[in-house]
Amino acid sequence: MLVEDIMNTDVKTLSPTDSIAAALKMFREHKIRHIPIVNAENEVIGIVSDRDVRDASASIFDNGSKSDLLLQNELQTIMSSPVVTVHPLDFAEEIASIFYEKEFACVPVVQNGKLVGTVTEKDMLYTLIQLTGTNEQGSHIEVKVPDRPGILPEVTAIFGKRKTNIVSVLVYPCNDDPAYKILVFRIQTMNPIPVITDLRNAGYTMVWPQDDKEPKL
């Protein structure tokens, strides 16, 4: 899945010389948490979060005049810069590492040097839901298999014999044995027992469901 498939293109922006008060108003009116700061050419030069604005605002114990004065400061005094950006043709799965490693909550999307959208941590979470198929009704199966070429089509052939539709497939390492992988299937059936039985008869180890946690019908 590409960034352009998940990004928000209706982006609210401000200039570096706009006031903190303008950002505060935009946050409240549009119920957003991040505002890209752009120049006259729509190039991203900074980003401001609602937390930045809160931190820059006066304490509730300060008098009104001081609060008003602080809110008139320009956004360039509090914005984060330089800004990490992504491209519309980047893979959404790959940019997830940016959110994790940098602890970002929003990343601007830039094409030909111009701002074209944003991706938020909420967008990434929804993408994960789509990729794993957990938003669709079905059953969850995890199978321990040898880590060798050709193993995936061998296992999926078992599902094919049952004419079971596979919604999604994930692969992750087996921590207990590096010679094995765990295949995670989301299948479009509420009765996975026949497929589970076939997998066990083929010699594969079921990680989920376990023998003592077999689905009850």
Side-chain angles (χ1 to χ4, degrees), residues 76-208:
Q76 60 188 343
T77 63
I78 66 168
M79 69 183 187
S80 298
S81 181
V83 183
V84 174
T85 64
V86 297
H87 190 275
L89 298 183
D90 286 339
F91 288 106
E93 301 92 319
E94 294 178 355
I95 72 165
S97 61
I98 296 178
F99 287 84
Y100 175 74
E101 294 170 4
K102 303 293 185 180
E103 297 184 355
F104 290 158
C106 178
V107 178
V109 184
V110 172
Q111 186 173 28
N112 298 324
K114 312 295 184 182
L115 177 69
V116 294
T118 58
V119 176
T120 67
E121 57 185 352
K122 184 176 180 179
D123 297 325
M124 293 304 305
L125 181 58
Y126 181 66
T127 300
L128 177 62
I129 292 172
Q130 289 183 301
L131 291 174
T132 56
T134 53
N135 57 328
E136 299 186 28
Q137 285 192 335
S139 299
H140 180 98
I141 294 176
E142 297 187 20
V143 189
K144 181 178 178 181
V145 300
D147 184 12
R148 59 176 173 79
I151 190 64
L152 183 58
E154 288 180 20
V155 177
T156 55
I158 295 175
F159 292 86
K161 290 178 181 178
R162 289 281 180 181
K163 299 188 183 303
T164 302
N165 186 38
I166 299 174
V167 176
S168 67
V169 183
L170 297 176
V171 183
Y172 66 88
C174 180
N175 294 329
D176 297 334
D177 192 340
Y180 285 80
K181 294 284 189 181
I182 306 298
L183 302 182
V184 183
F185 294 94
R186 187 77 179 175
I187 58 176
Q188 207 168 42
T189 178
M190 300 307 294
N191 178 18
I193 293 178
V195 172
I196 292 170
T197 300
D198 290 347
L199 289 167
R200 287 198 174 110
N201 290 340
Y204 297 112
T205 300
M206 299 301 302
V207 177
W208 183 266

Side-chain angles (χ1 to χ4, degrees), residues 36-72:
I37 308 303
V38 298
N39 59 20
E41 288 73 38
N42 201 38
E43 298 168 331
V44 180
I45 59 174
I47 191 167
V48 171
S49 70
D50 55 350
R51 177 177 294 182
D52 295 329
V53 170
R54 288 197 305 270
D55 291 345
S57 301
S59 165
I60 59 173
F61 299 107
D62 291 329
N63 59 46
S65 60
K66 183 176 181 180
S67 177
D68 291 342
L69 186 61
L70 288 171
L71 289 175
Q72 294 312 308

Side-chain angles (χ1 to χ4, degrees), residues 9-31:
T9 56
D10 181 21
V11 185
K12 309 302 179 184
T13 64
L14 290 171
S15 74
T17 56
D18 282 325
S19 66
I20 295 176
L24 182 60
K25 180 181 179 182
M26 185 171 286
F27 284 133
R28 289 173 175 172
E29 288 183 351
H30 298 283
K31 302 186 186 308

